[in-house]
Amino acid sequence: KHLMPIITPCYPSMNSSYNVGEPQLRRIQDELRRATKISHDVCFGRKTWSDLFKGNDFFRQHANYFQVDISSTQEDDFREWFGLCEARMRILIAGLENPSFGTQAYPFAKFFTRKEEDGKNVSSFFVALRFAENTEKVDLGPLIVDYLQIVNSWDGRKETMDLAINIVSQKNLPSFAFEVECEKENEVDDDSTSSETSTNTNEEVASGLDDDTSNVDASKATKTVQKSPPRSAKKKLEPGHDSGTPSMFISPLKRAKIS
């Protein structure tokens, strides 16, 4: 199903946004709504254009994330391995977006590539997770098994290539995840010639998340959500979503336990 068809003008005509699924489309629409609101406030003098280009606070909006680490000790092998894993990433995201399991996926459209001290090349990708209001436990194994089977069965895979999927709580996110936000803020500060404006305070994050980062086992991965009410308002799904999707999802900052 093509959700956001952008047809190429050349022959044969193709949908250039074929990889856009429900999670990606929701993220795009959310950002467009945010930009529209800020632009409206600028027109009425409540904000300045610099507010439109402030850093994204994606890593402060959710309580739990999937961290996918693609790595290799050899640069040539890393390029091949990364290309395969990146090309199939939409399968992982589509698997995590599962109304029958009560899950919603919020992908972050950027890879964080770095070289670690031991010489290993690593690229990390993050997907935030939200759960239906009455969901108490979710088995994440079946949601990611298709992706794991595809990348693990690739004939070109070598011993130098590795893939790790971890569930990470917000407070245990790596520091490099926040570098994009800081860099964007610095760019706005350097380029802006407008008068100083007040900044909005981020919503207080929930405390009490587990300290440990858990490796995902496709056969055992589960997510347990406490029954305590969310600390902030519940998020309603936008109109037009699949009728099978739960109508209410818990606050992204709700306390949760990973087992």
Side-chain angles (χ1 to χ4, degrees), residues 89-178:
M89 194 63 68
R90 64 182 178 83
I91 298 175
L92 174 65
I93 298 172
L96 293 173
E97 179 81 6
N98 196 311
S100 61
F101 279 73
T103 60
Q104 273 190 341
Y106 287 76
F108 187 70
K110 177 181 174 61
F111 283 86
F112 297 86
T113 303
R114 62 200 183 279
K115 195 160 190 173
E116 298 186 339
E117 295 180 356
D118 58 359
K120 181 183 292 187
N121 300 280
V122 184
S123 187
S124 300
F125 182 75
F126 294 88
V127 182
L129 295 176
R130 293 189 185 183
F131 301 89
E133 181 183 11
N134 297 321
T135 301
E136 296 184 0
K137 189 173 183 179
V138 177
D139 182 5
L140 298 177
L143 305 184
I144 65 174
V145 67
D146 289 342
Y147 178 74
L148 293 177
Q149 286 179 347
I150 291 174
V151 297
N152 287 332
S153 61
W154 182 48
D155 293 336
R157 185 171 184 179
K158 301 178 182 179
E159 294 183 356
T160 60
M161 304 172 179
D162 196 12
L163 176 74
I165 301 180
N166 299 314
I167 302 175
V168 188
S169 63
Q170 186 193 79
K171 67 178 181 180
N172 289 327
L173 284 168
S175 58
F176 62 76
F178 297 94

Coordinates of all heavy atoms in Angstrom, one line a residue, residues 89-178:
M89 N 15.7 -1.7 6.8 CA 15.2 -1.1 8.1 C 13.7 -0.9 8.1 O 13.1 -1.0 9.2 CB 16.0 0.2 8.4 CG 15.8 0.7 9.8 SD 16.6 -0.4 11.0 CE 18.3 -0.3 10.6
R90 N 13.1 -0.6 7.0 CA 11.7 -0.4 6.9 C 10.9 -1.6 7.4 O 9.8 -1.5 7.9 CB 11.2 0.0 5.5 CG 11.5 -1.1 4.5 CD 11.1 -0.6 3.1 NE 11.3 -1.6 2.0 CZ 10.5 -2.6 1.8 NH1 9.3 -2.7 2.4 NH2 10.8 -3.5 0.8
I91 N 11.5 -2.8 7.2 CA 10.8 -4.1 7.7 C 10.8 -4.1 9.2 O 9.8 -4.5 9.8 CB 11.6 -5.3 7.1 CG1 11.5 -5.3 5.6 CG2 11.0 -6.6 7.6 CD1 12.3 -6.4 4.9
L92 N 11.9 -3.7 9.8 CA 11.9 -3.6 11.3 C 10.9 -2.6 11.8 O 10.1 -2.9 12.7 CB 13.3 -3.3 11.8 CG 13.4 -3.0 13.3 CD1 13.2 -4.3 14.0 CD2 14.8 -2.5 13.6
I93 N 10.8 -1.4 11.2 CA 9.9 -0.4 11.6 C 8.5 -0.8 11.5 O 7.6 -0.6 12.3 CB 10.2 0.9 10.9 CG1 11.6 1.4 11.2 CG2 9.2 2.0 11.3 CD1 12.0 2.6 10.4
A94 N 8.2 -1.5 10.3 CA 6.8 -2.0 10.0 C 6.4 -3.0 11.0 O 5.3 -3.1 11.4 CB 6.7 -2.5 8.6
G95 N 7.4 -3.9 11.4 CA 7.1 -4.9 12.4 C 6.8 -4.3 13.8 O 5.9 -4.8 14.5
L96 N 7.4 -3.3 14.2 CA 7.2 -2.7 15.5 C 5.9 -1.9 15.5 O 5.4 -1.6 16.6 CB 8.4 -1.7 15.8 CG 9.7 -2.4 16.1 CD1 10.8 -1.4 16.3 CD2 9.7 -3.3 17.3
E97 N 5.4 -1.5 14.4 CA 4.1 -0.8 14.3 C 3.0 -1.9 14.1 O 2.7 -2.4 13.0 CB 4.1 0.1 13.1 CG 2.8 0.8 12.9 CD 2.6 2.1 13.7 OE1 3.6 2.4 14.4 OE2 1.5 2.7 13.7
N98 N 2.5 -2.4 15.2 CA 1.6 -3.5 15.2 C 0.4 -3.3 16.1 O 0.5 -3.4 17.3 CB 2.3 -4.8 15.6 CG 1.6 -6.0 15.3 OD1 0.4 -6.2 15.5 ND2 2.3 -7.0 14.7
P99 N -0.8 -2.9 15.5 CA -2.0 -2.6 16.3 C -2.4 -3.8 17.2 O -2.9 -3.6 18.3 CB -3.0 -2.2 15.3 CG -2.3 -1.8 14.1 CD -1.0 -2.6 14.1
S100 N -2.3 -5.0 16.7 CA -2.8 -6.2 17.4 C -1.9 -6.4 18.6 O -2.4 -7.0 19.6 CB -2.7 -7.4 16.5 OG -1.4 -7.7 16.0
F101 N -0.7 -6.0 18.6 CA 0.2 -6.1 19.8 C 0.1 -4.8 20.7 O 0.7 -4.8 21.7 CB 1.7 -6.3 19.4 CG 2.0 -7.7 19.0 CD1 1.5 -8.3 17.9 CD2 2.8 -8.5 19.9 CE1 1.8 -9.6 17.5 CE2 3.1 -9.8 19.6 CZ 2.6 -10.4 18.4
G102 N -0.5 -3.8 20.2 CA -0.7 -2.5 20.9 C 0.6 -1.7 20.9 O 0.9 -1.0 21.9
T103 N 1.4 -1.7 19.8 CA 2.6 -1.0 19.7 C 2.6 0.1 18.6 O 2.0 -0.2 17.6 CB 3.8 -1.9 19.5 OG1 3.6 -2.6 18.3 CG2 3.9 -2.9 20.6
Q104 N 3.2 1.2 18.8 CA 3.5 2.2 17.8 C 4.9 2.5 17.8 O 5.6 2.6 18.8 CB 2.7 3.5 18.1 CG 1.3 3.5 17.6 CD 0.6 4.9 17.8 OE1 1.1 5.7 18.5 NE2 -0.4 5.1 17.0
A105 N 5.5 2.7 16.5 CA 6.9 3.0 16.3 C 7.1 4.4 15.9 O 6.3 4.9 15.1 CB 7.5 2.0 15.3
Y106 N 8.1 5.1 16.4 CA 8.4 6.4 16.0 C 9.9 6.5 15.7 O 10.8 6.7 16.5 CB 8.2 7.4 17.2 CG 6.7 7.7 17.4 CD1 5.9 6.7 18.1 CD2 6.1 8.8 17.0 CE1 4.5 6.9 18.3 CE2 4.7 9.1 17.2 CZ 4.0 8.1 17.9 OH 2.6 8.3 18.1
P107 N 10.2 6.3 14.4 CA 11.6 6.2 14.0 C 12.3 7.6 13.9 O 11.6 8.6 13.7 CB 11.6 5.6 12.6 CG 10.2 6.0 12.1 CD 9.3 6.0 13.3
F108 N 13.5 7.7 14.2 CA 14.3 8.9 14.1 C 15.1 8.8 12.8 O 15.9 7.9 12.6 CB 15.3 9.1 15.3 CG 16.0 10.4 15.3 CD1 15.3 11.6 15.6 CD2 17.3 10.5 15.0 CE1 15.9 12.8 15.6 CE2 18.0 11.7 15.1 CZ 17.3 12.9 15.3
A109 N 14.9 9.8 11.9 CA 15.4 9.7 10.5 C 16.9 10.1 10.4 O 17.3 11.0 9.7 CB 14.6 10.5 9.6
K110 N 17.7 9.4 11.2 CA 19.2 9.7 11.1 C 20.0 8.5 11.7 O 19.6 7.9 12.7 CB 19.5 11.0 11.9 CG 21.0 11.3 11.9 CD 21.3 12.6 12.7 CE 22.8 12.8 12.9 NZ 23.5 13.0 11.6
F111 N 21.1 8.2 11.1 CA 22.0 7.2 11.6 C 23.2 7.9 12.3 O 23.6 9.0 11.8 CB 22.5 6.3 10.5 CG 21.6 5.3 10.0 CD1 20.6 5.5 9.0 CD2 21.6 4.0 10.5 CE1 19.7 4.6 8.6 CE2 20.7 3.0 10.1 CZ 19.8 3.3 9.2
F112 N 23.6 7.4 13.4 CA 24.8 8.0 14.1 C 26.0 7.1 13.8 O 26.1 6.0 14.4 CB 24.5 8.1 15.6 CG 23.3 9.0 15.9 CD1 22.0 8.5 15.9 CD2 23.6 10.3 16.3 CE1 21.0 9.3 16.2 CE2 22.5 11.2 16.6 CZ 21.2 10.7 16.5
T113 N 26.9 7.5 12.9 CA 28.0 6.7 12.5 C 29.3 7.2 13.3 O 29.5 8.4 13.3 CB 28.2 6.8 11.0 OG1 27.0 6.3 10.4 CG2 29.4 5.9 10.6
R114 N 30.0 6.3 13.8 CA 31.2 6.7 14.5 C 32.2 5.5 14.5 O 31.9 4.4 14.0 CB 30.9 6.9 16.0 CG 30.3 5.7 16.7 CD 29.5 6.1 17.9 NE 29.0 4.9 18.6 CZ 27.9 4.2 18.2 NH1 27.2 4.7 17.2 NH2 27.5 3.2 18.9
K115 N 33.5 5.8 14.9 CA 34.5 4.8 15.0 C 34.9 4.7 16.4 O 35.3 5.7 17.0 CB 35.7 5.2 14.1 CG 36.7 4.0 13.9 CD 37.5 4.2 12.7 CE 38.3 3.0 12.3 NZ 39.1 3.1 11.1
E116 N 34.8 3.5 17.0 CA 35.1 3.4 18.4 C 36.6 3.2 18.7 O 37.4 3.0 17.7 CB 34.3 2.2 19.0 CG 32.8 2.4 18.9 CD 32.0 1.3 19.5 OE1 32.5 0.2 19.7 OE2 30.8 1.5 19.8
E117 N 36.9 3.2 19.9 CA 38.4 3.2 20.3 C 39.1 1.9 19.8 O 40.2 1.9 19.6 CB 38.5 3.3 21.8 CG 38.1 4.7 22.3 CD 38.2 4.8 23.8 OE1 38.6 3.8 24.5 OE2 38.0 5.9 24.4
D118 N 38.3 0.8 19.8 CA 38.9 -0.5 19.3 C 39.0 -0.6 17.8 O 39.4 -1.6 17.3 CB 38.1 -1.6 19.9 CG 36.7 -1.6 19.5 OD1 36.3 -0.7 18.8 OD2 35.9 -2.5 19.9
G119 N 38.6 0.5 17.1 CA 38.7 0.5 15.7 C 37.4 0.0 15.0 O 37.4 0.0 13.7
K120 N 36.4 -0.4 15.7 CA 35.2 -0.9 15.1 C 34.4 0.3 14.5 O 34.2 1.3 15.2 CB 34.4 -1.7 16.1 CG 33.1 -2.2 15.6 CD 32.3 -2.9 16.7 CE 33.0 -4.2 17.2 NZ 32.1 -4.9 18.1
N121 N 33.8 0.1 13.3 CA 32.9 1.0 12.7 C 31.5 0.7 13.1 O 31.1 -0.4 12.9 CB 33.1 1.0 11.2 CG 34.5 1.3 10.7 OD1 34.8 2.5 10.6 ND2 35.3 0.3 10.4
V122 N 30.8 1.7 13.7 CA 29.5 1.5 14.2 C 28.5 2.5 13.7 O 28.9 3.7 13.7 CB 29.4 1.4 15.7 CG1 28.0 1.1 16.2 CG2 30.5 0.5 16.3
S123 N 27.3 2.1 13.3 CA 26.3 3.1 13.0 C 25.0 2.7 13.7 O 24.6 1.5 13.7 CB 26.0 3.0 11.5 OG 25.1 4.1 11.1
S124 N 24.4 3.7 14.4 CA 23.3 3.4 15.3 C 22.0 4.1 14.8 O 22.1 5.2 14.3 CB 23.5 3.9 16.7 OG 24.7 3.2 17.3
F125 N 20.9 3.4 14.9 CA 19.6 3.9 14.5 C 18.6 3.7 15.7 O 18.7 2.7 16.4 CB 19.1 3.1 13.3 CG 17.8 3.6 12.7 CD1 17.7 4.7 12.0 CD2 16.6 2.8 12.9 CE1 16.5 5.2 11.5 CE2 15.4 3.2 12.4 CZ 15.3 4.4 11.7
F126 N 17.7 4.6 15.9 CA 16.8 4.6 17.0 C 15.3 4.6 16.6 O 15.0 5.3 15.6 CB 17.1 5.8 17.9 CG 18.4 5.7 18.6 CD1 19.5 6.3 18.0 CD2 18.5 5.1 19.9 CE1 20.8 6.2 18.6 CE2 19.8 5.1 20.5 CZ 20.9 5.6 19.9
V127 N 14.5 3.8 17.3 CA 13.1 3.8 17.1 C 12.4 3.9 18.4 O 12.7 3.1 19.3 CB 12.6 2.5 16.4 CG1 11.1 2.6 16.1 CG2 13.3 2.3 15.0
A128 N 11.6 5.0 18.7 CA 10.9 5.1 19.9 C 9.7 4.2 19.9 O 9.1 4.0 18.9 CB 10.5 6.6 20.2
L129 N 9.3 3.7 21.1 CA 8.2 2.8 21.2 C 7.1 3.4 22.1 O 7.4 4.0 23.2 CB 8.6 1.5 21.8 CG 9.5 0.6 20.9 CD1 9.9 -0.6 21.6 CD2 8.9 0.3 19.6
R130 N 5.8 3.3 21.7 CA 4.7 3.6 22.6 C 3.8 2.4 22.6 O 3.8 1.6 21.7 CB 4.0 4.8 22.1 CG 4.8 6.1 22.2 CD 3.9 7.3 21.9 NE 4.7 8.5 21.9 CZ 4.2 9.8 21.7 NH1 2.9 9.9 21.5 NH2 5.0 10.8 21.7
F131 N 3.0 2.3 23.7 CA 2.2 1.1 23.9 C 0.7 1.5 24.1 O 0.5 2.6 24.7 CB 2.7 0.3 25.0 CG 4.1 -0.2 24.8 CD1 5.2 0.6 25.2 CD2 4.4 -1.4 24.2 CE1 6.5 0.2 25.0 CE2 5.7 -1.8 23.9 CZ 6.7 -1.0 24.4
A132 N -0.2 0.7 23.7 CA -1.6 0.9 23.9 C -1.9 1.1 25.4 O -1.2 0.5 26.3 CB -2.5 -0.2 23.3
E133 N -2.9 1.8 25.7 CA -3.2 2.2 27.1 C -3.4 1.0 28.0 O -2.8 1.0 29.1 CB -4.5 3.0 27.2 CG -4.9 3.5 28.6 CD -6.2 4.2 28.5 OE1 -6.9 4.2 27.5 OE2 -6.6 4.8 29.6
N134 N -4.1 0.0 27.6 CA -4.3 -1.2 28.5 C -3.3 -2.3 28.3 O -3.5 -3.4 28.8 CB -5.7 -1.7 28.2 CG -6.8 -0.7 28.6 OD1 -6.6 0.0 29.6 ND2 -7.8 -0.6 27.8
T135 N -2.2 -2.1 27.5 CA -1.2 -3.1 27.3 C -0.4 -3.3 28.5 O 0.2 -2.3 29.1 CB -0.3 -2.7 26.1 OG1 -1.2 -2.5 24.9 CG2 0.7 -3.8 25.8
E136 N -0.3 -4.5 29.0 CA 0.5 -4.8 30.2 C 1.8 -5.5 29.8 O 2.8 -5.3 30.5 CB -0.3 -5.7 31.2 CG -1.5 -5.0 31.7 CD -2.2 -5.9 32.8 OE1 -1.8 -7.0 33.0 OE2 -3.3 -5.4 33.3
K137 N 1.8 -6.3 28.8 CA 3.0 -7.1 28.4 C 3.0 -7.3 26.9 O 2.0 -7.7 26.3 CB 3.0 -8.4 29.1 CG 4.4 -9.1 29.0 CD 4.4 -10.4 29.9 CE 5.7 -11.1 29.8 NZ 5.8 -12.3 30.6
V138 N 4.1 -7.1 26.3 CA 4.2 -7.2 24.8 C 5.4 -8.1 24.5 O 6.5 -7.8 25.0 CB 4.4 -5.9 24.1 CG1 4.6 -6.1 22.6 CG2 3.2 -5.0 24.3
D139 N 5.3 -9.1 23.7 CA 6.4 -10.0 23.3 C 6.9 -9.3 22.0 O 6.3 -9.4 20.9 CB 5.9 -11.4 23.0 CG 7.0 -12.3 22.6 OD1 8.2 -11.9 22.6 OD2 6.7 -13.5 22.2
L140 N 8.1 -8.7 22.1 CA 8.7 -8.0 21.0 C 9.4 -9.0 20.0 O 9.7 -8.5 18.8 CB 9.7 -7.0 21.5 CG 9.2 -5.9 22.4 CD1 10.3 -5.0 22.8 CD2 8.1 -5.1 21.7
G141 N 9.6 -10.2 20.4 CA 10.2 -11.2 19.5 C 9.6 -11.3 18.1 O 10.3 -11.1 17.1
P142 N 8.3 -11.6 18.0 CA 7.7 -11.8 16.7 C 7.7 -10.5 15.9 O 7.5 -10.6 14.7 CB 6.2 -12.2 17.1 CG 6.3 -12.7 18.5 CD 7.4 -12.0 19.2
L143 N 7.8 -9.3 16.5 CA 7.8 -8.1 15.8 C 9.1 -7.8 15.0 O 9.1 -7.0 14.1 CB 7.5 -6.9 16.8 CG 6.2 -7.1 17.6 CD1 6.0 -5.8 18.4 CD2 5.0 -7.3 16.7
I144 N 10.2 -8.4 15.5 CA 11.4 -8.1 14.8 C 12.0 -9.4 14.1 O 13.1 -9.3 13.5 CB 12.5 -7.6 15.9 CG1 12.8 -8.7 16.9 CG2 12.0 -6.3 16.5 CD1 13.9 -8.3 17.9
V145 N 11.4 -10.5 14.2 CA 12.0 -11.7 13.7 C 12.1 -11.7 12.2 O 13.1 -12.2 11.7 CB 11.1 -13.0 14.1 CG1 9.7 -12.9 13.4 CG2 11.8 -14.3 13.8
D146 N 11.2 -11.1 11.5 CA 11.4 -11.0 10.0 C 12.6 -10.2 9.6 O 13.4 -10.7 8.7 CB 10.2 -10.3 9.4 CG 8.9 -11.2 9.4 OD1 9.0 -12.4 9.6 OD2 7.8 -10.6 9.3
Y147 N 12.9 -9.1 10.3 CA 14.1 -8.3 10.0 C 15.3 -9.1 10.3 O 16.3 -9.2 9.5 CB 14.1 -7.0 10.8 CG 15.3 -6.2 10.6 CD1 15.5 -5.5 9.4 CD2 16.2 -6.1 11.6 CE1 16.6 -4.7 9.3 CE2 17.4 -5.3 11.5 CZ 17.5 -4.6 10.3 OH 18.6 -3.8 10.1
L148 N 15.4 -9.8 11.5 CA 16.5 -10.6 11.9 C 16.8 -11.7 10.9 O 17.9 -12.0 10.6 CB 16.3 -11.1 13.3 CG 16.3 -10.1 14.4 CD1 16.0 -10.7 15.7 CD2 17.6 -9.3 14.4
Q149 N 15.8 -12.4 10.4 CA 15.9 -13.5 9.5 C 16.5 -13.0 8.2 O 17.4 -13.7 7.6 CB 14.6 -14.2 9.3 CG 14.1 -15.0 10.4 CD 12.8 -15.7 10.2 OE1 12.1 -15.3 9.2 NE2 12.4 -16.7 11.0
I150 N 16.1 -11.9 7.7 CA 16.6 -11.4 6.4 C 18.1 -11.0 6.5 O 18.9 -11.4 5.7 CB 15.8 -10.1 6.0 CG1 14.4 -10.6 5.6 CG2 16.5 -9.4 4.8 CD1 13.5 -9.4 5.3
V151 N 18.5 -10.3 7.6 CA 19.9 -9.8 7.6 C 20.8 -11.0 8.1 O 21.9 -11.1 7.6 CB 20.0 -8.6 8.6 CG1 19.3 -7.4 8.1 CG2 19.6 -9.0 10.0
N152 N 20.3 -11.9 8.9 CA 21.2 -13.0 9.3 C 21.4 -14.0 8.2 O 22.3 -14.8 8.3 CB 20.5 -13.7 10.6 CG 20.7 -12.8 11.8 OD1 21.6 -12.0 11.9 ND2 19.8 -13.0 12.8
S153 N 20.5 -14.1 7.3 CA 20.6 -15.1 6.2 C 21.3 -14.6 5.0 O 21.3 -15.3 4.0 CB 19.2 -15.6 5.9 OG 18.4 -14.6 5.4
W154 N 21.8 -13.4 5.0 CA 22.4 -12.8 3.9 C 23.7 -13.6 3.5 O 24.5 -13.8 4.4 CB 22.8 -11.3 4.1 CG 23.4 -10.6 3.0 CD1 23.0 -10.6 1.7 CD2 24.6 -9.8 3.1 NE1 23.9 -9.8 0.9 CE2 24.8 -9.3 1.7 CE3 25.5 -9.4 4.1 CZ2 25.9 -8.5 1.4 CZ3 26.5 -8.6 3.8 CH2 26.8 -8.1 2.5
D155 N 23.8 -14.0 2.3 CA 25.0 -14.8 1.9 C 26.3 -14.1 2.0 O 27.3 -14.7 2.1 CB 24.7 -15.3 0.4 CG 23.6 -16.2 0.3 OD1 23.2 -16.9 1.3 OD2 23.0 -16.4 -0.8
G156 N 26.3 -12.8 1.8 CA 27.5 -12.0 1.9 C 28.0 -11.6 3.3 O 29.0 -11.0 3.4
R157 N 27.3 -12.1 4.3 CA 27.7 -11.7 5.6 C 29.0 -12.4 6.0 O 29.2 -13.6 5.8 CB 26.6 -12.1 6.6 CG 27.0 -11.6 8.1 CD 25.8 -11.8 9.0 NE 26.1 -11.3 10.3 CZ 25.3 -11.2 11.3 NH1 24.1 -11.7 11.2 NH2 25.6 -10.7 12.5
K158 N 29.9 -11.7 6.7 CA 31.2 -12.2 7.1 C 31.3 -12.1 8.7 O 30.5 -11.5 9.3 CB 32.3 -11.3 6.5 CG 32.3 -11.3 5.0 CD 33.4 -10.4 4.4 CE 33.4 -10.4 2.9 NZ 34.4 -9.5 2.4
E159 N 32.3 -12.7 9.2 CA 32.5 -12.8 10.6 C 32.8 -11.4 11.2 O 32.6 -11.2 12.4 CB 33.7 -13.7 11.0 CG 33.4 -15.2 10.7 CD 34.5 -16.1 11.1 OE1 35.6 -15.5 11.6 OE2 34.4 -17.3 11.0
T160 N 33.3 -10.5 10.4 CA 33.6 -9.1 10.9 C 32.3 -8.3 11.1 O 32.3 -7.2 11.6 CB 34.5 -8.4 9.9 OG1 33.9 -8.3 8.6 CG2 35.8 -9.1 9.8
M161 N 31.2 -8.8 10.5 CA 29.9 -8.0 10.5 C 29.0 -8.4 11.7 O 28.9 -9.6 12.0 CB 29.2 -8.2 9.2 CG 29.9 -7.9 8.0 SD 29.0 -8.4 6.5 CE 30.2 -7.8 5.2
D162 N 28.5 -7.4 12.4 CA 27.7 -7.7 13.6 C 26.5 -6.8 13.6 O 26.5 -5.7 13.1 CB 28.5 -7.6 14.8 CG 27.8 -8.2 16.0 OD1 26.9 -9.0 15.8 OD2 28.3 -8.0 17.2
L163 N 25.4 -7.2 14.3 CA 24.2 -6.4 14.5 C 23.7 -6.7 15.9 O 23.5 -7.8 16.3 CB 23.1 -6.9 13.5 CG 21.8 -6.2 13.6 CD1 21.9 -4.7 13.1 CD2 20.7 -6.9 12.8
A164 N 23.4 -5.6 16.6 CA 22.9 -5.7 18.0 C 21.7 -4.8 18.1 O 21.7 -3.7 17.6 CB 24.0 -5.2 19.0
I165 N 20.6 -5.4 18.7 CA 19.4 -4.6 18.9 C 19.2 -4.6 20.4 O 19.0 -5.6 21.1 CB 18.2 -5.2 18.2 CG1 18.4 -5.3 16.7 CG2 16.9 -4.4 18.5 CD1 17.3 -5.9 15.9
N166 N 19.1 -3.4 21.0 CA 19.0 -3.2 22.4 C 17.7 -2.3 22.7 O 17.4 -1.5 21.9 CB 20.2 -2.5 23.1 CG 21.4 -3.3 22.9 OD1 21.5 -4.5 23.1 ND2 22.5 -2.6 22.4
I167 N 17.1 -2.6 23.8 CA 16.0 -1.8 24.3 C 16.6 -0.8 25.4 O 17.2 -1.3 26.4 CB 14.9 -2.6 25.0 CG1 14.3 -3.6 24.0 CG2 13.8 -1.6 25.5 CD1 13.2 -4.5 24.5
V168 N 16.5 0.5 25.2 CA 17.2 1.4 26.0 C 16.2 2.4 26.6 O 15.4 3.0 25.9 CB 18.3 2.2 25.2 CG1 19.1 3.1 26.1 CG2 19.2 1.3 24.4
S169 N 16.3 2.6 27.9 CA 15.4 3.6 28.5 C 16.0 5.0 28.2 O 17.2 5.2 27.9 CB 15.3 3.4 30.0 OG 16.6 3.5 30.6
Q170 N 15.2 6.0 28.4 CA 15.6 7.4 28.0 C 16.8 7.8 28.8 O 17.8 8.4 28.2 CB 14.4 8.4 28.3 CG 14.7 9.8 27.8 CD 13.8 10.8 28.4 OE1 13.9 11.2 29.5 NE2 12.8 11.2 27.6
K171 N 16.9 7.5 30.1 CA 18.0 8.0 30.8 C 19.3 7.2 30.5 O 20.4 7.7 30.9 CB 17.7 7.9 32.3 CG 17.6 6.5 32.9 CD 17.3 6.5 34.4 CE 17.2 5.1 34.9 NZ 17.0 5.1 36.4
N172 N 19.2 6.1 29.8 CA 20.4 5.3 29.4 C 20.8 5.5 28.0 O 21.7 4.8 27.5 CB 20.2 3.9 29.7 CG 20.2 3.5 31.2 OD1 20.9 4.2 32.0 ND2 19.3 2.6 31.6
L173 N 20.2 6.5 27.3 CA 20.6 6.8 25.9 C 22.0 7.2 25.8 O 22.5 8.0 26.7 CB 19.7 7.8 25.3 CG 18.3 7.4 24.9 CD1 17.4 8.6 24.6 CD2 18.3 6.5 23.7
P174 N 22.8 6.9 24.8 CA 24.2 7.3 24.7 C 24.2 8.8 24.4 O 23.3 9.4 23.9 CB 24.7 6.5 23.5 CG 23.4 6.2 22.7 CD 22.4 6.0 23.7
S175 N 25.3 9.4 24.9 CA 25.4 10.9 24.8 C 25.4 11.4 23.3 O 24.9 12.5 23.1 CB 26.7 11.4 25.4 OG 27.8 10.7 24.8
F176 N 25.9 10.6 22.4 CA 25.9 11.1 21.0 C 24.5 11.3 20.4 O 24.3 12.0 19.4 CB 26.7 10.1 20.1 CG 26.2 8.7 20.0 CD1 25.0 8.5 19.2 CD2 26.8 7.7 20.6 CE1 24.6 7.2 19.1 CE2 26.3 6.4 20.5 CZ 25.2 6.1 19.7
A177 N 23.5 10.7 21.0 CA 22.1 10.8 20.5 C 21.6 12.3 20.7 O 20.7 12.7 20.0 CB 21.2 9.9 21.3
F178 N 22.2 13.0 21.7 CA 21.8 14.4 21.9 C 22.6 15.4 21.2 O 22.4 16.6 21.3 CB 21.8 14.6 23.5 CG 20.9 13.8 24.2 CD1 21.3 12.6 24.8 CD2 19.5 14.1 24.4 CE1 20.4 11.8 25.5 CE2 18.7 13.3 25.1 CZ 19.1 12.1 25.6

